[in-house]
Each structure stands twice: as C-alpha cells, then as structure tokens.
Amino acid sequence: MSHATAPLIEVRDLGVRLNTSRGPAQAVRGVSFALRRGETLGLVGESGCGKSVTALALMGLLPDSAVVSGSVRLDGAELVGLSDSSYCKLRGNRISMIFQEPMTALNPMHTIGRQVAEPLRRHTGCSAASARKETIALLDRVGLPDAAKRVDAYPHQFSGGQRQRITIAMALACQPDVLIADEPTTALDVTIQGQILDLIADLVEERGMSMILISHDLGVIAENVQRMMVMYGGTVVESGATDAVFMRMGHPYTQGLFRARPRLGARKGTRLKTIAGTVPELADLPAGCTFADRCGIVEARCRVALPAAVGVGAGHDVRCLRTDVSMADAAGAVRV
Amino acid sequence: MSAPLTVPADSAAIAPGASPATGFWRRALRHRSFVLGAALSLLVLGAALLSLVWTPWSAYDIDIASKLHPPSAAHWLGTDVFGRDIVSLLLVGARSTIMVGVIAVGIGLTFGVCLGLIAAARKGWTEELIMRMSDFTFAFPAVLSAIMLAAVVGPGMLTSITAIGIFQIPTFVRVTRGSANAVWAREFILAARAAGKGGFRITIEHVLPNILSILIVQATIQFALAILAEAALSYLGLGTQPPQPSWGRMLNDAQTLLFQSPMLAVYPGAAIAIAVLGLNLLGDGLRDLLDPRLARER
Ligand SMILES: Nc1ncnc2c1ncn2[C@@H]1O[C@H](COP(=O)(O)OP(=O)(O)O)[C@@H](O)[C@H]1O
Ligand code: SF4
Ligand SMILES: [Mg+2]
C-alpha cells in the first residue's frame, strides 16, 4: 500500500467495558473506521450514546477499570494496551483532544500562556523563550485578541468562546496528526459556535490534520465533515459519506434524529418532533438491536441479536434488519 | 485562509484584573476571626522569639530561697516551686511549643501529603494500601504511640515530636487524598492528560496548587492539635524533660500545689488556651478567606 492511501488511524471492532454503578456494562461495541491524513469524520448521536467514551478510548484516557478491546492503530502502531507512559508521548503530540466545557478545561491557577506552552515544552523540548513566542503566535492564530498582552492572564479573565480558542491552541500546539473535538461548541452561544467551528475547519485544512468531530447536532456534522457515523447505545448504527447519509438515511434512528433537529425559521408553535423514549442506561441495553425499544418498525427478530451492518450504497452501512422498509420511508422523512 | 480577518464577536474581554489573590489582604483585615486568630498566634510567636534574646530572669536557674513568690515588681507573675520566674518560663515554654508544633506538623504534612497525592494519582491497590495503613496508624492516639515510643527510646522532646508527627500523618493523608481526588475528577486534568502530561507532573502542577489552601487550613488546625498533644505528653512526663521549660511541664509541676498556689496552673493553662484558640480561629479565618466554597461545606 502506498503511503498516501494507508490510513493514519485505523480502528477495528473497538469495544469498551465500563464499571457503572450497576455493575460492568458494554459502553461501546464493534466500532470500526479508518481515517486517512486530512480526512474528517463526524460522530453523532444523542447524549449518552457512547461518543465521548469512544473518543476517550482512542486517547487512552478511560479510567483504569475500563476494559478496551479491539484495535486502534495510529500509523500502523497498535495503541490498545499501550502503557500510560508511551501514551503520554502521543497525547498532545500526535493525537489531541478538545473538550466540551471550555469553562472547566483550563486550570484556574495557571496563566493561559503557561498552559498552552506546556505541551510544546514537553514534546518538543524547546526553550521557555521560544515556547512563549510560539504560544503567542498560536493564540494569535486562534483569534485571541491582543494575544501578546493577554498571554499572562488567567482563565477566569476570558469569555467562554475565548477560552475555547485557548484550548484549541493548547490542543494544536504540537501540530498533532489527529484532532478529536468532543462537542467543542455545545457549551457556547449560538453566535460563537459557527466561528469556533470555522476556526477548527480552517486549522484542520491548513495543517492537513485528520479530525474526528463529535456532536449531538446533525447540522454541525452536516457542515463540517466528509464522513459520518451515527451512534446509538454504543454501536454505530449508520456510517457513510455525509452526503450519502443525509441523502438516503437508512436507519430509523438517523431518521428520528433528523426529524427531531431544531430548525431555524420553523413556524411558531410547531412542536419539535422528538424520538419517543430515552437513550437506554448502559446496564439495560436490550439484547438485540439497541434501538429496538424506540423503533417504530421493530419486529420480533430485531430483539434476537445485534443486527449486522448491511451495505446500502458505496461505503454506506446501516445496522438494521429492515432497511427495505426504513429506506422506503426515508424519502418522506427527509423531505423538509 | 490564514489569520482570521474579522474580530470575533466574543472578543469583549472580561474584566481584566490581576491574579485571583487580589484583595486577599483587604478581605482578611475585615475578617474578625482571622484577625483575632492571627493576633493571638502572633502573640505566642512573639513570645517565643523574644525568649531567644531576652527573658526577665533565667528560665533554668533554680533558686529555692525565692520559691512560690506572689506576683511582684521583680517577678511579674511570681515564681514557681523551684523559684523560677513564671514569665520567663512562659516565654521559653512558647518556644518549645512552637518547635514541637512546627516539627510535628512538618512530619505529618510531608509524609501525609506525599502519600495522599500518590494514593490519588495511582488509585487501585496503591490507594487501598495507603488508606488502610493510615487507618491503622490513626487507631493509635499520639499519647499511646508516645508511650510505646518512650518505652523503646526513652521519653523526651524528640520522642513526643515524633509520636505527634506520626499521629498527624493519617489526617493529612485523608485530607490530601480526598481533595486531590476531587481535583483529579475535574475536566482540566483530562485536558492536561490529553496534552500528554503524566501523573507526576499533573500532581505537581495541577493537583497540588489546587489543594494548597485546604492544606494550609488543615495544617493550622493540626498545629493546634499538636500543641495540645505536646502539653498532654509533657504533663504526663513523656514529653519535654526538665529542666527544659514547657507549658505542659509547668502544669505537671503545678499539679501538686493546686490548692496552695492555684495560679501556677492557670498561667500555663491560659497560655495553651491562647495558642490553641488563636490557631483554630486563624484556621477558620483562612478557610473562609482562601476558599469560600469550603466555608459553606462545613
Ligand atoms: N467513567 C464512566 N463510568 C461509568 N459509566 C460511564 C463513564 N463514562 C461514561 N459512562 C456511561 O457511558 C455511556 C456513554 O457515555 P458518553 O460516551 O459520555 O456519551 P456521549 O455520547 O453523550 O458522549 C453513558 O451511559 C454514561 O453514563
Ligand atoms: S433492527 Fe429492527 S429495531 Fe433495530 S432499527 Fe432496524 S427495524 Fe428498528
Ligand atoms: Mg459526550
């Protein structure tokens, strides 16, 4: 395989078992995907579907009690089962992560300059002076006004959007190959969300990074990634090129998410269509299809075993036994 | 596309100010228990420092001829059963008290904080082992461990300091581990780990600074406990040995003359009370001032 086509990060049959208050439970099952350099992948699903757990598994940041199975390869090197000290050399250096809460993702006791410079000094071993220069350049690049002056300020002196810019600078300091953004704009004002997403998109393109963007918002996914995976109950229920998934939604859950999205300009008084029921607790995941309890076209056989993913188009897979029915309906579902 | 061309909408800065410490002293001077506690603690510290350069009389010279004098111009608070000047004894006693407190709390703080931080950082069986060990140590009160230690190496100031210090370790282990675990659960730790930091650096750079105020408050309160323990041990004859004056020792000496000269017991008792009260008020004040959230949890 030539270098250009070899995947940068390849995940095969990733599984995570977590200790919950009600005993061990399978939080993530059978997640597989591959990303080449410069590609972007979206991960979408309601809260509690296992998106963050998947991301933390890739980062090696799950609690020690978690059991990770399957394989995660970064440039061909296996990460599952890697020692923490080896993982430390990768995190922030080759694979970075941005978190949901910019208000809490920074240490209140240290200046932002110090926190952004840290990964630089750690991984590149550069001097304090050059790290500082680089930090100011980075802060400037992520659009922090007056970066040179404010580099010695503390986190509480910045707004939420500014703090998210700072955490982005921190994540990108060492020019990582892979960026995982876990709901990077969920905690921000709507007006700022777009700016932050644009910034991330620009930086991803500028630096040729691969990105995994996590969101519960289909709109965010639609506009920002080439490929997407829809997660439900710890499994990927639908995956494919973003256009293809939106064009021909195959899974009843994807269709439900689409119908439930809030729309701008919706007529006043129109009620949001929500998906009936709630995301199941990890400990009560149904035996067969994880979506069975909320699915409108569920049949007895759906509850027997986890449905296999079936191809419904080029690189477009759906984990449902009744795609014939659901995709016949889909035309109606997608019409706005 | 490179640098953003438009100024982001969120560029409006939030009040630029200095570090979070701003205004600490202004608030401190308005805090009644902090001011009173600091004043009493400084009084004891001042007495100890003064004793290094000056005492009205020698605190060591025995002069049986002038024993049990009532307060006079020469001996402001009178003399004890050996004819030693009470004021001088109290001043030098403050020195022993502070020394014992500093060293014992130093021992407890050093070992306790290290073990607590390790427990929080390593989790698993390491944490379990450290916590069980500290439970075990906690089961032996300072007096008991001092008696055991004295049986082996003989009584003395060093024995009592060591015993008190060891007794303080578990308290610091618990406080450190509890607050460190709370810091470890915060998101900036995850972000720091995502940036490639290892457990040791996170502990030093992120956990320790965030629990420092809790440790300062705890150390102040433990200091008061150490003073009480030292007085108790000296009173029992296990601590500071004669002729070295100490407040506990003075209480012991006064015991036999309780009906004849009750004031002999009142002076060292009052000195101990002032020191303990001062440190406790100081600790409470610091708790309010350093972390308002802690005050509410009480
Ligand atoms: N450390 C943990 N211990 C136990 N359960 C967890 C832990 N982290 C997440 N979970 C559970 O795993 C499921 C998936 O969570 P998560 O991945 O955070 O969802 P989301 O898709 O919203 O990011 C949830 O049911 C959550 O309660
Ligand atoms: S497998 Fe069955 S229950 Fe699951 S989504 Fe498809 S139709 Fe619904
Ligand atoms: Mg999440």
Side-chain angles (χ1 to χ4, degrees):
Chain A
M1 233 193 277
S2 79
H3 182 74
T5 55
L8 179 63
I9 184 160
E10 188 173 18
V11 176
R12 252 197 229 137
D13 202 24
L14 182 72
V16 177
R17 225 177 151 66
L18 284 177
N19 275 333
T20 67
S21 51
R22 294 169 53 193
Q26 195 70 30
V28 170
R29 272 185 288 177
V31 172
S32 300
F33 64 89
L35 266 187
R36 284 195 292 267
R37 197 172 287 279
E39 285 185 331
T40 53
L41 172 73
L43 208 53
V44 68
E46 286 163 289
S47 159
C49 286
K51 306 182 298 290
S52 296
V53 171
T54 305
L56 293 175
L58 300 183
M59 293 293 292
L61 287 177
L62 287 168
D64 290 342
S65 57
V67 182
V68 180
S69 57
S71 152
V72 176
R73 285 171 181 275
L74 181 66
D75 252 347
E78 180 62 54
L79 301 188
V80 172
L82 202 64
S83 74
D84 198 55
S85 57
S86 313
Y87 236 128
C88 279
K89 296 201 183 83
L90 297 177
R91 291 194 287 247
N93 191 18
R94 301 211 52 203
I95 173 164
S96 269
M97 185 160 173
I98 310 170
F99 295 88
Q100 175 172 344
E101 276 295 335
M103 290 319 213
T104 53
L106 294 166
N107 184 341
M109 309 286 290
H110 294 324
T111 65
I112 58 147
R114 178 169 169 188
Q115 295 185 65
V116 174
E118 256 167 22
L120 270 176
R121 302 217 47 200
R122 240 190 120 50
H123 293 302
T124 63
C126 61
S127 71
S130 67
R132 187 181 166 87
K133 237 175 84 190
E134 179 72 11
T135 297
I136 293 173
L138 261 167
L139 290 172
D140 204 43
R141 174 61 194 93
V142 298
L144 193 76
D146 256 345
K149 253 189 249 154
R150 309 203 61 198
V151 63
D152 293 318
Y154 287 83
H156 73 272
Q157 296 168 255
F158 295 90
S159 68
Q162 289 175 333
R163 285 195 219 186
Q164 196 59 299
R165 289 173 194 274
I166 295 164
T167 63
I168 291 171
M170 195 169 140
L172 298 190
C174 296
Q175 316 253 2
D177 299 320
V178 182
L179 174 69
I180 302 176
D182 189 353
E183 312 244 10
T185 58
T186 305
L188 302 178
D189 287 349
V190 187
T191 48
I192 295 161
Q193 285 184 9
Q195 296 176 3
I196 297 287
L197 286 167
D198 288 347
L199 171 68
I200 294 175
D202 287 347
L203 288 164
V204 164
E205 194 180 316
E206 185 179 304
R207 301 184 169 205
M209 287 184 289
S210 304
M211 172 173 69
I212 301 173
L213 176 66
I214 298 177
S215 179
H216 64 273
D217 183 345
L218 272 180
V220 166
I221 296 294
E223 286 169 23
N224 289 283
V225 293
Q226 299 154 351
R227 280 190 295 140
M228 62 186 280
M229 302 199 300
V230 183
M231 276 195 98
Y232 188 80
T235 59
V236 174
V237 295
E238 181 159 8
S239 65
T242 310
D243 297 346
V245 172
F246 275 93
M247 197 89 77
R248 321 181 48 232
M249 301 193 169
H251 200 281
Y253 178 61
T254 317
Q255 296 168 4
L257 269 185
F258 187 79
R259 277 193 295 266
R261 80 201 190 286
R263 254 160 298 181
L264 279 178
R267 232 179 307 137
K268 241 189 252 164
T270 350
R271 284 200 43 205
L272 260 181
K273 291 197 188 70
T274 53
I275 312 175
T278 52
V279 177
E281 284 269 334
L282 278 189
D284 331 311
L285 277 181
C289 172
T290 48
F291 190 56
D293 291 343
R294 299 169 75 187
C295 181
I297 53 170
V298 59
E299 283 185 344
R301 64 190 171 119
C302 299
R303 302 187 188 272
V304 177
L306 186 67
V310 293
V312 297
H316 183 184
D317 293 336
V318 177
R319 207 185 269 278
C320 174
L321 294 177
R322 304 195 66 195
T323 44
D324 50 336
V325 180
S326 66
M327 292 184 74
D329 284 354
V334 174
R335 207 179 302 129
V336 181
Chain B
M1 170 133 191
S2 60
L5 299 171
T6 49
V7 177
D10 57 327
S11 63
I14 297 213
S19 76
T22 307
F24 174 85
W25 289 110
R26 213 176 326 126
R27 282 187 303 132
L29 291 176
R30 274 205 303 262
H31 196 285
R32 247 181 272 143
S33 73
F34 175 85
V35 171
L36 186 59
L40 293 178
S41 306
L42 283 176
L43 184 71
V44 177
L45 183 66
L49 291 177
L50 181 65
S51 79
L52 290 173
V53 291
W54 175 83
T55 49
W57 298 76
S58 162
Y60 301 92
D61 292 347
I62 289 173
D63 178 9
I64 300 293
S66 53
K67 73 170 186 176
L68 296 176
H69 276 191
S72 65
H75 299 286
W76 300 333
L77 294 177
T79 59
D80 76 349
V81 70
F82 301 110
R84 294 179 294 185
D85 177 54
I86 299 285
V87 173
S88 308
L89 283 174
L90 286 175
L91 291 180
V92 178
R95 207 159 76 201
S96 315
T97 296
I98 285 178
M99 201 165 91
V100 172
V102 167
I103 299 177
V105 171
I107 293 173
L109 199 63
T110 310
F111 289 95
V113 169
C114 286
L115 288 169
L117 288 174
I118 291 171
R122 301 299 299 258
K123 297 274 182 337
W125 64 265
T126 317
E127 182 175 31
E128 198 62 25
L129 182 72
I130 290 174
M131 294 323 290
R132 292 298 81 77
M133 261 168 48
S134 75
D135 286 347
F136 179 78
T137 317
F138 198 66
F140 290 91
V143 176
L144 202 59
S145 40
I147 292 173
M148 295 194 304
L149 208 60
V152 181
V153 299
M157 200 180 204
L158 210 60
T159 309
S160 66
I161 288 178
T162 314
I164 297 168
I166 291 173
F167 181 67
Q168 300 226 339
I169 294 175
T171 310
F172 281 110
V173 172
R174 286 175 188 189
V175 169
T176 307
R177 186 197 66 137
S179 41
N181 272 342
V183 178
W184 271 100
R186 288 172 69 181
E187 201 164 70
F188 64 80
I189 297 281
L190 202 58
R193 289 176 67 204
K197 287 237 212 123
F200 180 74
R201 294 191 73 97
I202 290 182
T203 296
I204 299 298
E205 293 171 15
H206 293 277
V207 178
L208 198 53
N210 278 290
I211 65 170
L212 207 57
S213 56
I214 296 171
L215 292 179
I216 291 172
V217 171
Q218 192 63 38
T220 316
I221 289 161
Q222 291 302 118
F223 202 118
L225 288 176
I227 289 177
L228 272 180
E230 194 274 338
L233 289 175
S234 298
Y235 174 76
L236 293 173
L238 292 167
T240 315
Q241 296 297 303
Q244 181 62 36
S246 97
W247 295 343
R249 194 75 226 166
M250 289 169 75
L251 272 180
N252 186 336
D253 293 340
Q255 190 186 12
T256 48
L257 303 163
L258 213 49
F259 295 104
Q260 196 180 342
S261 330
M263 289 314 278
L264 284 186
V266 169
Y267 300 134
I272 293 168
I274 286 174
V276 170
L277 181 69
L279 285 163
N280 274 318
L281 288 174
L282 186 66
D284 274 359
L286 282 172
R287 180 169 10 218
D288 291 351
L289 292 167
L290 291 176
D291 194 347
R293 267 169 311 166
L294 280 176
R296 260 181 269 126
E297 276 165 22
R298 250 183 306 165

